[in-house]
Amino acid sequence: MDLRPAARPEPPRPPRRTMRALRDRRDELTSRIALGNQTAVERQHRLGKRTARERLELLLDEGSFVEVDMYRKGTTGASTDGVVAGSGTVDGRRVFVYAQDFTISGGSLGAAHAAKIHKVMDMAMDTGAPIIALNDSGGARIQEGVMALDGYGGIFRRQVAASGIIPQISVVLGPCAGGAAYSPALADFTFMVRETAQMYLTGPDVVQAVSGERVTHDQLGGADVHGGRSGVASFVHDDEETCLADVRYLLSLLPGNNLESPPSCECGPGDDLRPSLADIVPVEPNRPYDIRAVIAELVDDGEFLEVHEGWAGNVVCALARINGEVVGIVGNQPLVLAGVLDTSASQKAARFVRFCDAFNIPLVTLVDVPGFLPGTEQEYGGAIRHGAKLLYAYCEASVPRIQVILRKAYGGAYIVMDSRSIGCDLSLAWPTNEIAVMGAEAAVNVVHRKELAAATDPAELRAVLIAQYADDLMHPYYAAERGLVDDVIDPAQTRSAVSRGLAMLRDKRRRTPARKHGNVPL
């Protein structure tokens, strides 16, 4: 009998480490991360939303995306920690991007999540490339407390540092609540998708608890609210496909950074005549027309990208090309409030002018303005302060600036709409132009008040005085005779005149005094 202890079985040996095994493990892990939690993905699709990676596929050139920090984990315990970040190309041009992943903890932002965003923002600044944010997040990760708030602060600080240096585009494709909403507000352009995107500082529950007002998420901060009432959203779309397609189109009109010129393209000659312009704009100063029809005649192929289309419709701001070169166009819209300037229109145009100036985009201003909107609501709402923003923006702008006066240009509104007195380089006017302190009828009522009161036939005298005032002070060549208008042109020649003016001013350089910064009348 063998009394020796039985031999212990040898423990199983770990599989042999080979490069092939390691690569297979890496590929399996990468695929699993990219695939995501299928239950959460299906829930995202049921909400009418794409996943973060599906959105990046729509936005970027095929196969161009290079991801960073794919394996990074935070308190969620999931790889990526709820945000997909990296770089790719749009039409072959470099951009940096991050897309929040709602399938992982609702896309909530914690320290690791924020650190990834900080990293790509720093890369964008260092390389001089646009940064694009695809927002779809429930907000700060409550479990991380102040660290989540610190993460947001790092994003905001970088956005301010990047302002005017690289283009910043924010796309809201889901919830964007609380402090997170400041990120789209700091961006140069903000896109929103109807029904799925909401943005607000305090949600419906808080609003009801504080004020008793019952409101839905969409009523409080939906795309149409911010596109038409608050002015936070620059563009509003019905679906993600058209939204991201317009982001690509916008990028095609922007330089990579403030040291570059906007991308130009080959197109037809810029000196062609546009005789239909004389038919679009009525000679009668009070008859409305659509300034968009004028813009379509001036720009290449009639194509332009209107910014804030649904907000402050009495002024139109658009990016387009003239003879292949990108321009920013600001025009009064006679179809809305007769084209007057008010608080919202002044803010809208001022921000657009400042953006164009920051990124070397020449400005073309189409003027047909009867003045500022009168009334206590406007005065109490800061009409002076907001109008001063537009005045400041134009005075500060050093890019080529061309003014075209189509019809009315009255009072302070004439000055503010890039007049020669505040530094426009080239002022052109149609034969229909009327530049004056105010309209002839209003001027006569003020200047000849006593004569009219004493007249036996005030109506007849008023008509005579109005005609005399218009002939003496408002005829088409009055401003040109005094050097405030450079040329009175045939409307049909407007496109060619603007094109020649832009070519003449292309190498414009202006030195500004050394200072920390000006004090914009915010």
Side-chain angles (χ1 to χ4, degrees):
M1 184 175 181
D2 190 352
L3 298 178
R4 288 177 300 178
R8 294 181 180 178
E10 292 187 10
R13 293 183 178 182
R16 185 183 172 204
R17 287 170 58 87
T18 66
M19 182 58 71
R20 179 174 179 177
L22 293 172
R23 290 168 66 183
D24 287 346
R25 182 185 177 190
R26 173 201 172 277
D27 292 345
E28 187 275 332
L29 175 60
T30 302
S31 297
R32 189 169 69 248
I33 295 171
L35 191 62
N37 182 313
Q38 286 305 292
T39 301
V41 169
E42 290 170 6
R43 188 184 309 118
Q44 180 86 339
H45 289 164
R46 285 197 300 272
L47 292 172
K49 302 192 295 182
R50 283 176 163 73
T51 65
R53 296 183 187 279
E54 289 169 342
R55 289 163 175 165
L56 291 173
E57 288 177 3
L58 282 176
L59 174 65
L60 303 173
D61 296 339
E62 184 177 357
S64 69
F65 183 56
V66 178
E67 187 170 353
V68 298
D69 280 358
M70 183 185 214
Y71 308 106
R72 186 156 190 169
K73 294 182 179 181
T75 54
T76 63
S79 298
T80 75
D81 201 43
V83 62
V84 182
S87 177
T89 60
V90 174
D91 294 328
R93 301 171 65 217
R94 176 65 51 193
V95 298
F96 286 81
V97 61
Y98 64 89
Q100 292 179 312
D101 187 351
F102 197 78
T103 69
I104 297 178
S105 295
S108 60
L109 183 140
H113 182 123
K116 292 178 63 173
I117 295 174
H118 298 168
K119 180 180 288 188
V120 293
M121 294 182 76
D122 290 342
M123 288 180 178
M125 276 287 281
D126 290 343
T127 59
I131 181 77
I132 306 166
L134 305 184
N135 298 277
D136 188 2
S137 169
R141 194 172 298 160
I142 297 172
Q143 299 90 326
E144 295 197 31
V146 71
M147 294 308 296
L149 301 180
D150 180 72
Y152 276 124
I155 294 172
F156 304 154
R157 176 168 56 84
R158 286 169 172 81
Q159 284 188 268
V160 172
S163 182
I165 298 177
I166 56 173
Q168 301 181 62
I169 298 172
S170 186
V171 189
V172 184
L173 300 165
C176 184
Y182 285 119
S183 182
L186 288 170
D188 296 309
F189 298 99
T190 298
F191 291 74
M192 292 186 74
V193 175
R194 290 184 176 93
E195 297 186 4
T196 58
Q198 297 95 33
M199 182 165 48
Y200 40 69
L201 293 176
T202 55
D205 294 340
V206 177
V207 170
Q208 184 178 355
V210 173
S211 68
E213 183 181 4
R214 301 176 69 90
V215 64
T216 67
H217 291 274
D218 211 49
Q219 290 169 338
L220 182 61
D224 287 321
V225 169
H226 290 302
R229 299 188 68 176
S230 74
V232 176
S234 315
F235 305 96
V236 174
H237 291 275
D238 290 328
D239 54 68
E240 295 187 11
E241 295 92 335
T242 57
C243 177
L244 294 173
D246 252 14
V247 174
R248 290 177 60 93
Y249 180 35
L250 172 62
L251 287 165
S252 74
L253 298 167
L254 305 181
N257 56 67
N258 67 322
L259 300 180
E260 298 178 1
S261 296
S264 58
C265 67
E266 296 293 332
C267 69
D271 57 354
D272 53 330
L273 297 180
R274 299 300 170 97
S276 61
L277 282 172
D279 300 321
I280 292 171
V281 181
V283 173
E284 298 84 358
N286 295 325
R287 282 184 57 193
Y289 63 92
D290 192 345
I291 194 66
R292 295 185 185 95
V294 175
I295 295 172
E297 287 294 319
L298 296 183
V299 303
D300 296 348
D301 302 318
E303 292 184 0
F304 58 91
L305 181 62
E306 185 174 351
V307 183
H308 290 297
E309 181 179 354
W311 179 56
N314 41 325
V315 68
V316 171
C317 300
L319 292 167
R321 282 190 168 88
I322 295 179
N323 205 22
E325 301 296 332
V326 177
V327 296
I329 299 175
V330 179
N332 305 112
Q333 174 58 291
L335 281 184
V336 180
L337 297 175
V340 298
L341 289 176
D342 62 3
T343 55
S344 295
S346 297
Q347 292 177 76
K348 171 180 171 177
R351 183 160 173 77
F352 182 76
V353 167
R354 287 176 66 81
F355 174 83
C356 289
D357 185 52
F359 290 100
N360 310 311
I361 299 173
L363 288 159
V364 177
T365 304
L366 306 177
V367 184
D368 191 350
V369 60
F372 282 90
L373 183 64
T376 56
E377 182 180 349
Q378 286 291 306
E379 296 294 346
Y380 297 166
I384 297 171
R385 177 167 48 86
H386 294 303
K389 293 177 184 177
L390 181 54
L391 181 63
Y392 192 105
Y394 269 124
C395 288
E396 189 180 45
S398 60
V399 293
R401 292 155 51 187
I402 298 178
Q403 178 196 50
V404 183
I405 303 171
L406 309 183
R407 294 194 308 187
K408 305 177 298 298
Y410 294 161
Y414 154 70
I415 301 173
V416 167
M417 289 296 290
D418 203 19
S419 63
R420 167 53 59 80
S421 59
I422 64 170
C424 91
D425 300 295
L426 184 65
S427 178
L428 307 172
W430 287 9
T432 46
N433 81 81
E434 294 182 356
I435 308 172
V437 175
M438 60 183 69
E441 185 172 353
V444 165
N445 289 337
V446 173
V447 175
H448 300 285
R449 182 176 62 253
K450 293 182 179 179
E451 296 99 309
L452 290 170
T456 55
D457 190 346
E460 182 180 355
L461 178 59
R462 181 181 288 105
V464 171
L465 292 173
I466 288 172
Q468 182 180 341
Y469 183 90
D471 288 342
D472 291 346
L473 298 175
M474 295 177 62
H475 64 78
Y477 302 94
Y478 185 83
E481 290 169 355
R482 287 151 183 80
L484 300 178
V485 165
D486 294 291
D487 196 7
V488 178
I489 62 173
D490 184 331
Q493 297 176 328
T494 307
R495 174 179 158 90
S496 59
V498 170
S499 179
R500 289 195 303 270
L502 291 170
M504 176 177 71
L505 297 166
R506 184 168 295 132
D507 296 325
K508 174 185 174 183
R509 296 289 183 272
R510 177 182 294 173
R511 291 187 177 182
T512 56
R515 61 179 176 180
K516 190 172 184 180
H517 57 71
N519 188 13
V520 183
L522 298 174

